């Protein structure tokens, strides 16, 4: 979950509520969905919030939300922009990173706190929407230190986004006094060693030039010449990435934050040599256009469980920073045409709008009531089975785990030595997460053992034996399902001991299965995660449902394990 560190003095100044105590601010922010996590070493308050509201990654964004919450601001606000003086010309750009966007912000008077907030916003956006700079990276420059080339048609200045040989051009990067080539930055600069892997395989690396020379090496590091300080008044912002939509919306969030600091936004033209997919060859950025969502009145009342008039709904929408007009659905039912501001990247469905309406109304104001059903709640049969299996595993000496459902392909495949295997447990095509906010969570897991192996990896400093087990959800692509996804529950366990063998794992597997009145067999099989000759198929009541074996040394080395591990995993439905 993302966090934001907030200087409460800055928050009070930006909201205009100088008399609000820290405790009152914590309570107000909790109503907006920001949970207090403690204080930083610098005395700032740290808050955790849902990863969809990335406009709250800065104190400016949080202050804007509070102003709507307090009723001081209403409806959609789109800052005005001045005409473009600067142009980014895109030519011969690396195909691995073809997109760019930009803006100019003038008239800033950055305090140290404002400067720190800008740096925090930049790094938080890198970590979330930017996927650690792989999908989008931000460069902020002192505009006065740029010298733009004269535009071809006159009346403006240009910079150039292109690709360069990493061993030819030289520049002085941030936090350095020496000129370096991009290749030397990747090899020797501390920022280059952290982010150089994003470009090290490119024949030509991304670079942005003005008439003086290279001033940005995205997504790695900016040049020292254009470094921003608290004395900087006019900023040039450029963002490069693998997706135009992502970097455009990252730019919107930054522009809104700087506008809250008194900055005036100025457009930048982006001229592509070849028009990008779904976009014209010439763009004017930032793109501060709004979007629309139609939300049915009945859906709002049904979801929230309250009765609202049309005037009430529009009032709540405006208090959420949205605009709404009464309309009708295709069926003639009352509805609202809701306007979404350009910094909101989270509103993808009408239910997102309903959530905003509920927060503006106040979830604490909702009266609890019993549902209109004639039954008494109880555990689902599947849940009872899972609980019984967990209790049995504990009785067999295992410690229960609860891991994340989302992970990445390297964890479920590469690190588990699956390679190009197809018809083995864990090799099914995973379910991809579209527009994921972190490169660590790009798919849903297709089997459980990779998650448990990560737990072992993170606990090598703990004493052994470590006998771990999990009962959990897995999924993979399946075109025969009406959703395109096959879902199931698996049970998996590992024995990590200095002296452990296949027989130890089989004994516990047999005890588990037979406690549910089923018969288990373990005929030999092959699986790349396990040692050949020490691997077996799990067959319960005649059906092949999983695999058991001694984990392969390649996998143990991958997870920094220096002792043998026996593991098994199978579909829990076999125990019904």
């Amino acid at each position: 979950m993302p966090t934001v560190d907030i200087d409460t003095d800055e928050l009070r100044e930006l909201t205009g509520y100088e008399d609000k105590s820290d405790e009152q601010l914590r309570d107000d922010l909790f109503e907006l969905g920001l949970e207090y996590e403690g204080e930083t070493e610098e005395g700032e308050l740290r808050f955790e919030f849902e990863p969809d509201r990335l406009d709250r990654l800065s104190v400016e964004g949080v202050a804007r939300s509070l102003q709507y919450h307090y009723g001081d601001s209403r409806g959609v606000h789109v800052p005005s922009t001045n005409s473009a003086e600067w142009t980014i010309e895109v030519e011969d750009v690396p195909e691995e990173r073809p997109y760019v966007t930009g803006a100019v912000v003038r008239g800033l008077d950055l305090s140290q706190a404002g400067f720190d907030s800008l740096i925090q916003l930049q790094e938080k956006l890198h970590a979330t929407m930017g996927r650690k700079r792989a999908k989008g990276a931000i460069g902020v420059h002192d505009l006065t230190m740029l010298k733009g080339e004269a535009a071809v048609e006159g009346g403006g200045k240009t910079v150039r986004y292109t690709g360069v040989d990493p061993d030819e051009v030289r520049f002085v990067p941030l936090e350095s006094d020496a000129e370096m080539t991009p290749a030397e930055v990747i090899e020797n600069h501390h920022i280059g060693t952290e982010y150089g892997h994003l470009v090290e395989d490119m024949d030509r690396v991304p670079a942005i030039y003005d008439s003086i020379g290279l001033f940005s090496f995205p997504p790695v590091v900016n040049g020292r010449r254009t470094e921003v300080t608290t004395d900087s008044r006019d900023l040039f912002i450029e963002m490069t990435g693998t997706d135009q939509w992502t970097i455009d919306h990252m730019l919107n969030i930054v522009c809104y934050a700087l506008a809250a600091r008194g900055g005036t936004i100025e457009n930048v033209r982006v001229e592509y040599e070849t028009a990008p997919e779904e976009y014209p060859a010439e763009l004017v950025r930032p793109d501060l256009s709004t979007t629309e969502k139609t939300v049915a009145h009945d859906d709002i009342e049904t979801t929230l469980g309250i009765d609202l008039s049309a005037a009430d709904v529009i009032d709540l929408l405006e208090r959420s920073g949205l605009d709404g007009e009464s309309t009708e659905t295709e069926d003639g039912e009352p509805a609202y045409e809701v306007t979404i501001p350009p910094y909101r990247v989270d509103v993808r469905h009408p239910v997102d709008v309903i959530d905003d309406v509920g927060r503006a109304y106040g979830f604490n104001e909702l009266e609890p009531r019993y549902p209109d059903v004639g039954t008494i709640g109880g555990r689902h049969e599947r849940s009872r089975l899972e609980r019984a299996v967990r209790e049995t595993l504990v009785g067999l000496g295992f410690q229960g785990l609860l891991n994340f459902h989302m992970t990445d392909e390297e964890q479920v495949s590469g690190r588990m030595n699956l390679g190009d295997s197809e018809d083995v447990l864990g090799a099914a095509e995973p379910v991809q997460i579209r527009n994921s906010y972190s490169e660590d969570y790009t798919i849903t897991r297709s089997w459980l053992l990779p998650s448990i192996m990560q737990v072992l990896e993170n606990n090598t400093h703990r004493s052994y034996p470590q006998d771990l087990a999990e009962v959990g959800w897995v999924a993979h692509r399946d075109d025969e399902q009406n959703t395109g996804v096959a879902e199931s529950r698996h049970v998996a366990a590992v024995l990590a001991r200095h002296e452990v063998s296949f027989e130890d794992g089989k004994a516990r597997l047999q005890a588990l299965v037979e406690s549910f009145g089923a018969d288990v067999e373990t005929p030999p099989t092959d699986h790349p995660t396990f040692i050949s000759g020490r691997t077996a198929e799990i067959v319960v009541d005649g059906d092949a449902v999983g695999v058991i074996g001694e984990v392969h040394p390649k996998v143990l080395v991958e997870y920094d394990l220096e002792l043998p591990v026996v593991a098994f995993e199978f579909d829990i439905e076999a125990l019904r």
Side-chain angles (χ1 to χ4, degrees):
M1 299 283 280
T3 61
V4 58
D5 299 336
I6 293 178
D7 181 333
T8 50
D9 290 335
E10 284 288 297
L11 188 59
R12 279 185 277 264
E13 180 179 341
L14 288 168
T15 58
Y17 284 81
E18 301 286 348
D19 57 342
K20 284 271 186 179
S21 67
D22 286 2
E23 184 176 356
Q24 288 174 315
L25 289 173
R26 289 201 301 268
D27 292 341
D28 293 339
L29 291 174
F30 182 78
E31 292 184 21
L32 292 175
L34 287 85
E35 297 189 21
Y36 176 64
E37 289 289 303
E39 288 192 18
T40 67
E41 294 181 357
E42 294 76 21
E44 296 180 334
L45 304 189
R46 176 164 294 168
F47 292 87
E48 182 181 76
F49 59 95
E50 293 296 327
D52 53 352
R53 287 304 303 267
L54 299 182
D55 57 292
R56 293 173 175 169
L57 283 172
S58 67
V59 66
E60 295 86 4
V62 172
R64 180 173 55 249
S65 293
L66 279 177
Q67 287 174 321
Y68 282 118
H69 183 67
Y70 296 149
D72 297 330
S73 297
R74 297 180 67 86
V76 173
H77 167 67
V78 178
S80 60
T81 58
N82 292 337
S83 299
E85 179 183 351
W86 287 81
T87 299
I88 302 174
E89 294 183 348
V90 185
E91 57 183 36
D92 196 20
V93 71
E95 63 179 13
E96 299 91 341
R97 202 172 188 87
Y99 301 108
V100 66
T101 191
V104 168
V105 181
R106 298 184 185 271
L108 288 166
D109 185 10
L110 288 176
S111 62
Q112 186 62 49
F115 176 79
D116 293 341
S117 178
L118 174 60
I119 299 302
Q120 176 184 223
L121 177 58
Q122 181 176 353
E123 292 309 313
K124 296 288 186 180
L125 283 173
H126 280 158
T128 50
M129 285 187 77
R131 293 187 192 173
K132 298 180 181 178
R133 304 195 188 185
K135 193 173 185 180
I138 305 167
V140 183
H141 309 271
D142 189 324
L143 183 66
T144 61
M145 301 307 296
L146 288 178
K147 184 175 178 58
E149 299 175 1
V152 175
E153 298 179 1
K157 304 173 183 177
T158 68
V159 297
R160 197 160 43 93
Y161 177 44
T162 187
V164 298
D165 187 313
D167 293 308
E168 289 188 358
V169 299
R170 305 185 70 84
F171 75 114
V172 180
L174 281 176
E175 302 180 26
S176 175
D177 295 321
E179 276 195 343
M180 297 182 181
T181 65
E184 290 171 340
V185 169
I186 295 171
E187 184 70 25
N188 302 318
H189 195 285
H190 73 95
I191 301 177
T193 57
E194 183 174 0
Y195 296 105
H197 67 279
L198 297 173
V199 298
E200 62 184 357
D201 294 330
M202 297 181 186
D203 294 330
R204 293 171 59 80
V205 297
I208 304 181
Y209 281 84
D210 65 357
S211 62
I212 298 175
L214 189 153
F215 67 90
S216 179
F217 172 30
V220 181
V221 67
N222 293 340
R224 182 173 175 179
R225 168 165 61 95
T226 59
E227 182 177 5
V228 174
T229 69
T230 53
D231 294 326
S232 302
R233 296 293 176 262
D234 302 331
L235 305 181
F236 181 85
I237 304 166
E238 44 83 8
M239 300 189 188
T240 65
T242 60
D243 178 71
Q244 187 76 48
W245 186 94
T246 298
I247 58 176
D248 281 343
H249 284 78
M250 290 170 66
L251 179 64
N252 289 347
I253 292 172
V254 173
C255 284
Y256 265 84
L258 293 175
R261 293 283 181 181
T264 300
I265 301 171
E266 181 181 295
N267 290 330
V268 166
R269 279 186 298 273
V270 179
E271 295 180 353
Y272 284 98
E273 187 176 36
T274 302
E277 185 178 351
E278 299 180 6
Y279 291 90
E282 183 174 323
L283 306 175
V284 176
R285 293 296 185 261
D287 180 8
L288 299 182
S289 58
T290 58
T291 55
E292 311 290 330
K293 288 283 181 217
T294 301
V295 185
H297 183 88
D298 182 65
D299 288 345
I300 296 174
E301 291 190 332
T302 302
T303 303
L304 298 179
I306 55 177
D307 295 325
L308 296 169
S309 67
D312 290 335
V313 172
I314 291 175
D315 175 67
L316 293 171
L317 288 170
E318 292 179 351
R319 286 170 53 194
S320 303
L322 312 173
D323 281 333
E325 292 185 2
S326 295
T327 185
E328 292 183 352
T329 65
E330 294 180 357
D331 299 329
E333 297 298 323
Y336 305 93
E337 194 72 20
V338 181
T339 303
I340 315 299
Y343 60 83
R344 291 289 299 271
V345 299
D346 58 302
V347 182
R348 302 295 185 86
H349 188 277
V351 73
D352 298 315
V353 175
I354 296 172
D355 178 72
D356 277 8
V357 172
R359 290 194 182 278
Y361 183 86
F363 287 137
N364 291 336
E365 301 301 320
L366 300 178
E367 295 183 5
R369 57 183 175 81
Y370 287 104
D372 295 329
V373 294
T375 60
I376 298 174
R379 280 190 177 273
H380 190 278
E381 181 182 354
R382 182 188 67 212
S383 178
R384 289 198 296 270
L385 174 62
E386 293 177 2
R387 185 175 187 179
V389 171
R390 290 188 179 100
E391 290 177 349
T392 304
L393 288 167
V394 171
L396 291 171
F398 291 98
Q399 181 175 350
L401 301 176
L402 183 62
N403 286 304
F404 292 133
H405 292 163
M406 291 194 293
T407 181
D408 66 88
E409 289 195 59
E410 178 63 18
Q411 295 295 341
V412 302
S413 180
R415 302 191 74 192
M416 297 298 285
N417 198 37
L418 292 186
D420 297 327
S421 302
E422 294 181 358
D423 298 325
V424 297
L425 182 68
E429 182 182 356
V431 179
Q432 301 285 340
I433 307 301
R434 182 179 296 175
N435 294 325
S436 64
Y437 286 115
S438 170
E439 64 180 9
D440 296 326
Y441 303 106
T442 58
I443 64 170
T444 60
R445 60 182 180 176
S446 55
W447 59 322
L448 301 181
L449 283 178
S451 300
I452 303 179
M453 294 298 293
Q454 283 183 268
V455 175
L456 289 177
E457 179 183 32
N458 294 330
N459 285 275
T460 54
H461 60 292
R462 303 287 186 182
S463 61
Y464 292 94
Q466 293 182 26
D467 300 342
L468 309 175
E470 180 176 6
V471 176
W473 177 87
V474 297
H476 64 269
R477 290 290 305 276
D478 185 350
D479 292 336
E480 294 183 3
Q481 302 291 326
N482 60 2
T483 61
V485 176
E487 304 178 53
S488 56
R489 264 75 178 175
H490 282 196
V491 53
V494 301
L495 298 168
R497 298 163 173 249
H498 291 288
E499 295 183 2
V500 69
S501 67
F502 175 88
E503 288 73 20
D504 297 308
K506 180 179 176 181
R508 285 164 175 78
L509 170 66
Q510 191 166 352
L512 171 63
V513 174
E514 292 182 352
S515 69
F516 286 86
D519 295 323
V520 61
E521 300 175 57
T522 52
T525 191
D526 287 317
H527 190 292
T529 299
F530 302 96
I531 300 173
S532 180
R534 306 296 292 170
T535 309
E537 195 169 39
I538 299 174
V539 179
V540 177
D541 290 341
D543 295 324
V545 294
V547 66
I548 179 174
E550 296 180 12
V551 176
H552 198 286
K554 286 184 179 179
V555 179
L556 297 180
V557 170
E558 177 66 33
Y559 287 94
D560 294 327
L561 300 176
E562 299 178 353
L563 76 175
V565 176
V566 174
F568 64 78
E569 178 170 342
F570 64 93
D571 193 324
I572 198 173
E573 288 297 313
L575 301 180
R576 283 193 185 275

